[in-house]
PDB file of all heavy atoms in Angstrom:
ATOM      1  N   PHE L  29      55.290 144.627  69.435  1.00 98.00           N
ATOM      2  CA  PHE L  29      54.288 143.636  69.140  1.00 98.00           C
ATOM      3  C   PHE L  29      54.504 142.978  67.772  1.00 98.00           C
ATOM      4  O   PHE L  29      54.552 141.837  67.536  1.00 98.00           O
ATOM      5  CB  PHE L  29      52.901 144.078  69.324  1.00 98.00           C
ATOM      6  CG  PHE L  29      51.770 143.162  68.828  1.00 98.00           C
ATOM      7  CD1 PHE L  29      51.412 142.089  69.630  1.00 98.00           C
ATOM      8  CD2 PHE L  29      51.186 143.372  67.594  1.00 98.00           C
ATOM      9  CE1 PHE L  29      50.461 141.140  69.179  1.00 98.00           C
ATOM     10  CE2 PHE L  29      50.206 142.467  67.125  1.00 98.00           C
ATOM     11  CZ  PHE L  29      49.846 141.373  67.922  1.00 98.00           C
ATOM     12  N   ARG L  30      54.680 143.969  66.788  1.00 98.00           N
ATOM     13  CA  ARG L  30      54.892 143.525  65.378  1.00 98.00           C
ATOM     14  C   ARG L  30      56.239 142.874  65.196  1.00 98.00           C
ATOM     15  O   ARG L  30      56.321 141.870  64.466  1.00 98.00           O
ATOM     16  CB  ARG L  30      54.746 144.777  64.481  1.00 98.00           C
ATOM     17  CG  ARG L  30      53.324 145.232  64.307  1.00 98.00           C
ATOM     18  CD  ARG L  30      53.170 146.513  63.458  1.00 98.00           C
ATOM     19  NE  ARG L  30      53.779 146.469  62.184  1.00 98.00           N
ATOM     20  CZ  ARG L  30      53.801 147.474  61.372  1.00 98.00           C
ATOM     21  NH1 ARG L  30      53.167 148.651  61.640  1.00 98.00           N
ATOM     22  NH2 ARG L  30      54.325 147.399  60.151  1.00 98.00           N
ATOM     23  N   LEU L  31      57.264 143.385  65.916  1.00 98.00           N
ATOM     24  CA  LEU L  31      58.577 142.780  65.788  1.00 98.00           C
ATOM     25  C   LEU L  31      58.596 141.309  66.343  1.00 98.00           C
ATOM     26  O   LEU L  31      59.185 140.448  65.777  1.00 98.00           O
ATOM     27  CB  LEU L  31      59.642 143.585  66.599  1.00 98.00           C
ATOM     28  CG  LEU L  31      61.062 143.107  66.526  1.00 98.00           C
ATOM     29  CD1 LEU L  31      61.542 143.016  65.042  1.00 98.00           C
ATOM     30  CD2 LEU L  31      61.908 143.996  67.281  1.00 98.00           C
ATOM     31  N   LEU L  32      57.974 141.148  67.548  1.00 97.00           N
ATOM     32  CA  LEU L  32      57.941 139.787  68.129  1.00 97.00           C
ATOM     33  C   LEU L  32      57.216 138.764  67.236  1.00 97.00           C
ATOM     34  O   LEU L  32      57.680 137.638  67.037  1.00 97.00           O
ATOM     35  CB  LEU L  32      57.215 139.876  69.448  1.00 97.00           C
ATOM     36  CG  LEU L  32      57.935 140.337  70.660  1.00 97.00           C
ATOM     37  CD1 LEU L  32      57.094 140.218  71.974  1.00 97.00           C
ATOM     38  CD2 LEU L  32      59.248 139.575  70.863  1.00 97.00           C
ATOM     39  N   ARG L  33      56.165 139.258  66.596  1.00 97.00           N
ATOM     40  CA  ARG L  33      55.367 138.343  65.717  1.00 97.00           C
ATOM     41  C   ARG L  33      56.282 137.902  64.546  1.00 97.00           C
ATOM     42  O   ARG L  33      56.317 136.742  64.135  1.00 97.00           O
ATOM     43  CB  ARG L  33      54.062 139.105  65.200  1.00 97.00           C
ATOM     44  CG  ARG L  33      53.190 138.165  64.321  1.00 97.00           C
ATOM     45  CD  ARG L  33      51.863 138.923  64.148  1.00 97.00           C
ATOM     46  NE  ARG L  33      52.083 140.256  63.475  1.00 97.00           N
ATOM     47  CZ  ARG L  33      51.154 141.121  63.291  1.00 97.00           C
ATOM     48  NH1 ARG L  33      49.864 140.822  63.669  1.00 97.00           N
ATOM     49  NH2 ARG L  33      51.397 142.291  62.699  1.00 97.00           N
ATOM     50  N   VAL L  34      56.980 138.887  63.958  1.00 97.00           N
ATOM     51  CA  VAL L  34      57.831 138.549  62.883  1.00 97.00           C
ATOM     52  C   VAL L  34      59.053 137.607  63.271  1.00 97.00           C
ATOM     53  O   VAL L  34      59.366 136.594  62.614  1.00 97.00           O
ATOM     54  CB  VAL L  34      58.511 139.868  62.307  1.00 97.00           C
ATOM     55  CG1 VAL L  34      59.626 139.560  61.352  1.00 97.00           C
ATOM     56  CG2 VAL L  34      57.450 140.692  61.555  1.00 97.00           C
ATOM     57  N   MET L  35      59.662 137.906  64.408  1.00 97.00           N
ATOM     58  CA  MET L  35      60.802 137.119  64.928  1.00 97.00           C
ATOM     59  C   MET L  35      60.394 135.689  65.278  1.00 97.00           C
ATOM     60  O   MET L  35      61.149 134.766  64.971  1.00 97.00           O
ATOM     61  CB  MET L  35      61.483 137.817  66.021  1.00 97.00           C
ATOM     62  CG  MET L  35      62.077 139.205  65.700  1.00 97.00           C
ATOM     63  SD  MET L  35      63.143 139.237  64.232  1.00 97.00           S
ATOM     64  CE  MET L  35      64.483 138.162  64.814  1.00 97.00           C
ATOM     65  N   ASP L  36      59.241 135.530  65.858  1.00 95.00           N
ATOM     66  CA  ASP L  36      58.787 134.243  66.231  1.00 95.00           C
ATOM     67  C   ASP L  36      58.498 133.348  65.016  1.00 95.00           C
ATOM     68  O   ASP L  36      58.728 132.170  65.015  1.00 95.00           O
ATOM     69  CB  ASP L  36      57.496 134.326  67.083  1.00 95.00           C
ATOM     70  CG  ASP L  36      57.670 134.815  68.498  1.00 95.00           C
ATOM     71  OD1 ASP L  36      58.947 134.733  68.919  1.00 95.00           O
ATOM     72  OD2 ASP L  36      56.823 135.274  69.121  1.00 95.00           O
ATOM     73  N   GLU L  37      58.169 133.970  63.871  1.00 94.00           N
ATOM     74  CA  GLU L  37      57.847 133.236  62.622  1.00 94.00           C
ATOM     75  C   GLU L  37      59.143 132.824  61.986  1.00 94.00           C
ATOM     76  O   GLU L  37      59.110 131.898  61.090  1.00 94.00           O
ATOM     77  CB  GLU L  37      56.984 134.041  61.746  1.00 94.00           C
ATOM     78  CG  GLU L  37      55.543 134.275  62.237  1.00 94.00           C
ATOM     79  CD  GLU L  37      54.697 135.099  61.397  1.00 94.00           C
ATOM     80  OE1 GLU L  37      55.217 135.624  60.350  1.00 94.00           O
ATOM     81  OE2 GLU L  37      53.506 135.202  61.626  1.00 94.00           O
ATOM     82  N   LEU L  38      60.289 133.429  62.258  1.00 92.00           N
ATOM     83  CA  LEU L  38      61.575 133.095  61.642  1.00 92.00           C
ATOM     84  C   LEU L  38      62.165 131.806  62.067  1.00 92.00           C
ATOM     85  O   LEU L  38      63.059 131.210  61.377  1.00 92.00           O
ATOM     86  CB  LEU L  38      62.605 134.206  61.868  1.00 92.00           C
ATOM     87  CG  LEU L  38      62.481 135.474  60.943  1.00 92.00           C
ATOM     88  CD1 LEU L  38      63.489 136.440  61.327  1.00 92.00           C
ATOM     89  CD2 LEU L  38      62.717 135.082  59.498  1.00 92.00           C
ATOM     90  N   ALA L  39      61.670 131.261  63.138  1.00 74.00           N
ATOM     91  CA  ALA L  39      62.167 130.011  63.744  1.00 74.00           C
ATOM     92  C   ALA L  39      63.610 129.973  63.902  1.00 74.00           C
ATOM     93  O   ALA L  39      64.301 128.989  63.690  1.00 74.00           O
ATOM     94  CB  ALA L  39      61.689 128.809  62.764  1.00 74.00           C
ATOM     95  N   SER L  40      64.157 131.113  64.469  1.00 87.00           N
ATOM     96  CA  SER L  40      65.479 131.202  64.798  1.00 87.00           C
ATOM     97  C   SER L  40      65.593 131.703  66.219  1.00 87.00           C
ATOM     98  O   SER L  40      64.753 132.354  66.776  1.00 87.00           O
ATOM     99  CB  SER L  40      66.298 132.169  63.867  1.00 87.00           C
ATOM    100  OG  SER L  40      66.161 131.818  62.544  1.00 87.00           O
ATOM    101  N   GLU L  41      66.758 131.410  66.909  1.00 96.00           N
ATOM    102  CA  GLU L  41      66.997 131.981  68.118  1.00 96.00           C
ATOM    103  C   GLU L  41      67.270 133.489  67.860  1.00 96.00           C
ATOM    104  O   GLU L  41      67.814 133.894  66.919  1.00 96.00           O
ATOM    105  CB  GLU L  41      68.297 131.433  68.848  1.00 96.00           C
ATOM    106  CG  GLU L  41      68.607 132.009  70.233  1.00 96.00           C
ATOM    107  CD  GLU L  41      69.910 131.438  70.735  1.00 96.00           C
ATOM    108  OE1 GLU L  41      70.473 130.494  70.124  1.00 96.00           O
ATOM    109  OE2 GLU L  41      70.418 131.955  71.746  1.00 96.00           O
ATOM    110  N   TYR L  42      66.808 134.380  68.792  1.00 97.00           N
ATOM    111  CA  TYR L  42      66.941 135.805  68.598  1.00 97.00           C
ATOM    112  C   TYR L  42      67.030 136.563  69.908  1.00 97.00           C
ATOM    113  O   TYR L  42      66.684 136.107  70.967  1.00 97.00           O
ATOM    114  CB  TYR L  42      65.821 136.358  67.682  1.00 97.00           C
ATOM    115  CG  TYR L  42      64.488 136.459  68.330  1.00 97.00           C
ATOM    116  CD1 TYR L  42      64.061 137.485  69.132  1.00 97.00           C
ATOM    117  CD2 TYR L  42      63.525 135.370  68.072  1.00 97.00           C
ATOM    118  CE1 TYR L  42      62.805 137.507  69.655  1.00 97.00           C
ATOM    119  CE2 TYR L  42      62.266 135.384  68.646  1.00 97.00           C
ATOM    120  CZ  TYR L  42      61.881 136.444  69.449  1.00 97.00           C
ATOM    121  OH  TYR L  42      60.610 136.530  69.951  1.00 97.00           O
ATOM    122  N   GLU L  43      67.519 137.762  69.786  1.00 98.00           N
ATOM    123  CA  GLU L  43      67.568 138.774  70.884  1.00 98.00           C
ATOM    124  C   GLU L  43      67.155 140.104  70.290  1.00 98.00           C
ATOM    125  O   GLU L  43      67.389 140.381  69.130  1.00 98.00           O
ATOM    126  CB  GLU L  43      68.909 138.817  71.565  1.00 98.00           C
ATOM    127  CG  GLU L  43      70.061 139.328  70.635  1.00 98.00           C
ATOM    128  CD  GLU L  43      71.397 139.515  71.285  1.00 98.00           C
ATOM    129  OE1 GLU L  43      71.494 139.212  72.512  1.00 98.00           O
ATOM    130  OE2 GLU L  43      72.342 139.844  70.604  1.00 98.00           O
ATOM    131  N   ILE L  44      66.542 140.944  71.154  1.00 98.00           N
ATOM    132  CA  ILE L  44      66.168 142.305  70.706  1.00 98.00           C
ATOM    133  C   ILE L  44      66.924 143.260  71.659  1.00 98.00           C
ATOM    134  O   ILE L  44      66.762 143.130  72.870  1.00 98.00           O
ATOM    135  CB  ILE L  44      64.640 142.525  70.766  1.00 98.00           C
ATOM    136  CG1 ILE L  44      63.901 141.552  69.874  1.00 98.00           C
ATOM    137  CG2 ILE L  44      64.310 143.991  70.401  1.00 98.00           C
ATOM    138  CD1 ILE L  44      62.420 141.489  70.062  1.00 98.00           C
ATOM    139  N   ILE L  45      67.680 144.163  71.161  1.00 98.00           N
ATOM    140  CA  ILE L  45      68.409 145.123  71.968  1.00 98.00           C
ATOM    141  C   ILE L  45      67.921 146.542  71.707  1.00 98.00           C
ATOM    142  O   ILE L  45      68.121 147.071  70.675  1.00 98.00           O
ATOM    143  CB  ILE L  45      69.962 144.981  71.597  1.00 98.00           C
ATOM    144  CG1 ILE L  45      70.495 143.610  71.789  1.00 98.00           C
ATOM    145  CG2 ILE L  45      70.779 146.016  72.461  1.00 98.00           C
ATOM    146  CD1 ILE L  45      71.779 143.276  71.195  1.00 98.00           C
ATOM    147  N   TYR L  46      67.300 147.003  72.724  1.00 98.00           N
ATOM    148  CA  TYR L  46      66.809 148.428  72.627  1.00 98.00           C
ATOM    149  C   TYR L  46      67.940 149.303  73.210  1.00 98.00           C
ATOM    150  O   TYR L  46      68.433 149.147  74.331  1.00 98.00           O
ATOM    151  CB  TYR L  46      65.555 148.619  73.394  1.00 98.00           C
ATOM    152  CG  TYR L  46      64.312 148.014  72.788  1.00 98.00           C
ATOM    153  CD1 TYR L  46      63.581 146.947  73.390  1.00 98.00           C
ATOM    154  CD2 TYR L  46      63.850 148.457  71.609  1.00 98.00           C
ATOM    155  CE1 TYR L  46      62.488 146.414  72.785  1.00 98.00           C
ATOM    156  CE2 TYR L  46      62.817 147.920  70.927  1.00 98.00           C
ATOM    157  CZ  TYR L  46      62.094 146.863  71.529  1.00 98.00           C
ATOM    158  OH  TYR L  46      61.012 146.315  70.937  1.00 98.00           O
ATOM    159  N   VAL L  47      68.261 150.346  72.484  1.00 98.00           N
ATOM    160  CA  VAL L  47      69.307 151.318  72.941  1.00 98.00           C
ATOM    161  C   VAL L  47      68.623 152.694  73.163  1.00 98.00           C
ATOM    162  O   VAL L  47      68.295 153.377  72.194  1.00 98.00           O
ATOM    163  CB  VAL L  47      70.454 151.424  71.919  1.00 98.00           C
ATOM    164  CG1 VAL L  47      71.575 152.377  72.457  1.00 98.00           C
ATOM    165  CG2 VAL L  47      71.010 150.051  71.532  1.00 98.00           C
ATOM    166  N   ASP L  48      68.542 153.009  74.394  1.00 98.00           N
ATOM    167  CA  ASP L  48      67.854 154.353  74.707  1.00 98.00           C
ATOM    168  C   ASP L  48      68.853 155.385  74.602  1.00 98.00           C
ATOM    169  O   ASP L  48      69.813 155.487  75.445  1.00 98.00           O
ATOM    170  CB  ASP L  48      67.213 154.290  76.071  1.00 98.00           C
ATOM    171  CG  ASP L  48      66.475 155.627  76.301  1.00 98.00           C
ATOM    172  OD1 ASP L  48      65.427 155.841  75.638  1.00 98.00           O
ATOM    173  OD2 ASP L  48      66.930 156.419  77.127  1.00 98.00           O
ATOM    174  N   ASP L  49      68.707 156.317  73.719  1.00 97.00           N
ATOM    175  CA  ASP L  49      69.664 157.402  73.433  1.00 97.00           C
ATOM    176  C   ASP L  49      69.297 158.751  74.223  1.00 97.00           C
ATOM    177  O   ASP L  49      69.055 159.775  73.569  1.00 97.00           O
ATOM    178  CB  ASP L  49      69.782 157.740  71.946  1.00 97.00           C
ATOM    179  CG  ASP L  49      70.821 158.715  71.539  1.00 97.00           C
ATOM    180  OD1 ASP L  49      71.743 158.833  72.336  1.00 97.00           O
ATOM    181  OD2 ASP L  49      70.608 159.340  70.475  1.00 97.00           O
ATOM    182  N   GLY L  50      69.069 158.580  75.544  1.00 97.00           N
ATOM    183  CA  GLY L  50      68.784 159.692  76.401  1.00 97.00           C
ATOM    184  C   GLY L  50      67.374 160.257  76.117  1.00 97.00           C
ATOM    185  O   GLY L  50      67.157 161.516  76.100  1.00 97.00           O
ATOM    186  N   SER L  51      66.447 159.406  75.894  1.00 98.00           N
ATOM    187  CA  SER L  51      65.048 159.855  75.662  1.00 98.00           C
ATOM    188  C   SER L  51      64.504 160.697  76.823  1.00 98.00           C
ATOM    189  O   SER L  51      64.841 160.508  78.005  1.00 98.00           O
ATOM    190  CB  SER L  51      64.122 158.644  75.501  1.00 98.00           C
ATOM    191  OG  SER L  51      64.376 157.943  74.402  1.00 98.00           O
TER     192      SER L  51
END
Side-chain angles (χ1 to χ4, degrees):
F29 172 78
R30 287 173 57 178
L31 180 61
L32 282 184
R33 185 169 57 187
V34 168
M35 298 307 296
D36 286 340
E37 291 177 356
L38 278 175
S40 300
E41 181 184 353
Y42 69 86
E43 64 178 357
I44 300 169
I45 302 167
Y46 288 116
V47 184
D48 184 71
D49 187 24
S51 294

